Structures are given as C-alpha cells and as structure tokens.
Amino acid sequence: MSVDLKDLVADVVKREVQKHRGKTKYREPLVGFAPANHPGFGELKRAVGPEHLLPHDLLPGARSVVAFFLPFAAEVVEAHRRDPFVSRLWAEAYIETNELITRACRALAGELAALGIEAAWQEPTHNFDPVSLRSFWSHKHVAYLCGLGTFGLHHMLITPSGCAGRLGSLVVSADLSPTDPPEREFCLYRREGRCGACVSLCPTGALSAEGLDKQKCYRHLLEVDAFYADLGTCDVCGKCATGPCALGVPEG
Ligand code: SF4
Ligand code: SF4
C-alpha cells in the first residue's frame, strides 16, 4: 500500500505542475519521504530555533512527512543570471510557485482524505518570526530529512535537480517508506573545499564562507519587494542560487 501511496503523492504533485498556467516553467518535480518520528525533527529545535514545530504539532496522528521540490526551468535561472538585479521573471516565479505549492498541498490533502488519510501543512513561505527570522517550519530542513538533498555553502538545499526552485512539505497520517539520503555532499565547497560562487554572487555581503547574516539578507529581500511592488509580496533574491548548483549537482 505504501508504494502506491508514494506514487499517488508524486503523481498529484506532477499533475498540479502540469496544470500550472503562469509564466514560470518547471522541470520534473522531486518528492521525498521521512517517518514523522525521525530524530532529525527534534534536532531542528536546535538547528533552526526552539519554536520549530514537530510533525505531531501539525498533525497529532502524524506518521510520515512528505517534501517536494519544484525545480525552475533553465530559462528562469538564465534570466536571473543575466539581470544585474533580481529578474522580473524570478520574482514572478517566486510568487507563482508559492501559489502552486499551496494548490499542490490542497490537492494532496484532498486525494489523501478520500482514502481516509489526514494531512496538514504550513504555507510555503512567511511562516517565520519577523524579528528573529527563524522559521516555525523550515521546508528546506524538512526536505533534507526527507532525503531530497544536502545543504550548500549558501544555506539552501541542493537536490539532484539543483537548488533553483521551491520546496513544499506536508505531514500525513499514513506510513510511507523513507527516501534514502544522498550518499555524498552535493555542494562543491562542502565536498572538495572549492567553488564559493554563491558567496561571489551575493550582492550584499550577507553570505560568506563563515555563515549567513540573515538580517542583512532580509533587508535586501525587502528592497526587492518594494521594487516589484506591483507584483505582490516578493521578498526574494536568490542570486546565490544561480551558481553551478542551480540546475543540478556540480561535478568537479
Ligand atoms: S555555488 Fe558552489 S559553493 Fe555555493 S552552494 Fe553551490 S556548489 Fe556550493
Ligand atoms: S538571497 Fe541574495 S542577499 Fe541573501 S544570501 Fe543569497 S544572494 Fe545574498
């Protein structure tokens, strides 16, 4: 039964992406799974912040966690690379993909409910404390525990399809066999001690090999939001996600 359910989850996410009629183009979605009692979820209270929720906080009957990655098409990345600021297409992709993730979560919850399975999720973004900027439910850390990738020097998750895209996740009341984690580091810096393109690409100096200054980064995101005020909320930058790990795992 669990294999069928995993296929169903992957099919629903894929279907929602195919139904998308916005400007953003995508590559094939990735889906990963973890048990709700994975000890890593408890560790997120230390790694992310004490406010970080556990799967059982979202859903008392939680048995598994599902994460999915919607990778942007190369043209979205290329437009962002070419633009000295944040490209309009990248800003639109941020907004459209957040909406798409919400639709995918709703569709998944509906399909699972028809099978008597409960599901709960957090919105794809803006689920963080506005002062500390710490997330209550960090999709990238959840996706990491679901075996979708490894963290890069830029503090984003690098999946087999790169890091340029967005993540969503749900907690469900069914047992789903876990996804095996990657067997190697996907970031060149973490694997071989070289690259660092993301640091060079950062326009604010918020990112360095020593860490990420979240407040400095977020100030820039708010500037972008103000610049694209006609689009809606788009506090996004992601220049650091346009390097060699944008569209796949970089090889040496
Ligand atoms: S740009 Fe290079 S150093 Fe930065 S996260 Fe990607 S692979 Fe790692
Ligand atoms: S999102 Fe932009 S400002 Fe923030 S670390 Fe990445 S490149 Fe720097």
Side-chain angles (χ1 to χ4, degrees):
M1 170 154 182
S2 63
V3 171
D4 289 345
L5 271 182
K6 289 170 70 170
D7 287 347
L8 173 81
V9 168
D11 287 347
V12 171
V13 174
K14 198 170 164 182
R15 187 188 71 204
E16 290 303 312
V17 171
Q18 285 170 346
K19 278 165 57 182
H20 175 69
R21 289 293 172 267
K23 291 185 183 171
T24 315
K25 300 286 181 277
Y26 300 93
R27 289 170 290 141
E28 185 87 6
L30 303 180
V31 182
F33 305 89
N37 62 0
H38 188 307
F41 288 109
E43 289 166 23
L44 296 186
K45 287 188 178 294
R46 180 183 52 77
V48 181
E51 314 87 352
H52 199 279
L53 300 169
L54 295 169
H56 294 93
D57 296 325
L58 267 62
L59 185 69
R63 300 289 303 173
S64 305
V65 180
V66 178
F68 57 91
F69 179 61
L70 307 185
F72 296 152
E75 66 198 60
V76 179
V77 176
E78 293 303 335
H80 196 34
R81 279 178 176 153
R82 281 194 303 272
D83 197 307
F85 187 57
V86 170
S87 79
R88 192 171 181 85
L89 184 58
W90 186 268
E92 289 169 325
Y94 172 76
I95 291 174
E96 287 186 0
T97 311
N98 286 338
E99 292 167 357
L100 172 55
I101 289 169
T102 299
R103 286 200 299 276
C105 287
R106 282 204 190 111
L108 278 168
E111 297 269 354
L112 294 171
L115 300 172
I117 298 166
E118 293 178 290
W121 74 91
Q122 290 275 297
E123 290 298 323
T125 189
H126 301 112
N127 53 344
F128 56 80
D129 182 289
V131 176
S132 70
L133 303 181
R134 288 199 299 258
S135 176
F136 303 121
W137 183 257
S138 167
H139 295 285
K140 66 181 179 182
H141 285 87
V142 170
Y144 169 78
L145 294 175
C146 289
L148 276 184
T150 69
F151 281 101
L153 181 62
H154 52 14
H155 297 243
M156 294 189 204
L157 196 70
I158 305 173
T159 74
S161 297
C163 62
R166 294 198 58 74
L167 294 156
S169 53
L170 299 93
V171 180
V172 301
S173 65
D175 288 317
L176 300 165
S177 58
T179 302
D180 290 335
E183 289 178 354
R184 60 175 186 154
E185 291 285 350
F186 288 164
C187 170
L188 273 178
Y189 185 86
R190 302 233 183 274
R191 196 168 73 231
E192 299 172 18
R194 61 197 181 84
C195 181
C198 47
V199 172
S200 309
L201 286 162
C202 177
T204 64
L207 184 65
S208 71
E210 285 68 52
L212 172 65
D213 183 335
K214 282 170 115 178
Q215 299 289 346
K216 191 183 265 190
C217 174
Y218 192 59
R219 282 197 293 277
H220 181 58
L221 306 194
L222 294 179
E223 288 168 8
V224 177
D225 185 35
F227 185 84
Y228 287 121
D230 61 308
L231 291 181
T233 305
C234 62
D235 45 353
V236 65
C237 165
K239 280 292 184 189
C240 51
T242 59
C245 56
L247 295 165
V249 176
E251 301 298 339

